[in-house]
Amino acid sequence: GGAAGATPETSGPSGIHTPGEPRRLQVGERSLSVEVFAPAAPHGRALILIHEIFGLNDDIRRIAHRFASHGYLVVAPDLRHG
């Protein structure tokens, strides 16, 4: 399972897929909420986007969309609310 197997649920502007409901990623005995931003034209690279003190907010989502628009698969975990 994991984030690599997660698939986006809806399609947004410019063909960038936007996340639906946050997904749960099982890590050992704990689970973590993540959002996955998949590019319309992937180039095989991915990154994990870590947020600042304010958590997984709209600013972090805009940054994730920007990377996705350049072909990256972006996984953004919610480390604050997990």
Side-chain angles (χ1 to χ4, degrees):
T7 56
E9 296 173 6
T10 59
S11 182
S14 303
I16 299 170
H17 295 282
T18 56
E21 291 296 314
R23 292 161 176 76
R24 301 298 299 177
L25 176 65
Q26 191 68 33
V27 182
E29 294 181 11
R30 300 182 62 194
S31 69
L32 182 67
S33 178
V34 299
E35 291 189 20
V36 177
F37 300 80
H43 54 50
R45 295 186 177 109
L47 61 88
I48 299 171
L49 181 62
I50 304 298
H51 59 74
E52 76 282 87
I53 194 169
F54 302 110
L56 184 54
N57 57 28
D58 289 340
D59 186 45
I60 298 301
R61 289 178 181 98
R62 278 191 292 275
I63 294 168
H65 278 291
R66 193 165 52 230
F67 277 108
S69 73
H70 291 282
Y72 289 89
L73 173 70
V74 182
V75 177
D78 187 349
L79 301 175
R80 188 166 182 210
H81 296 106

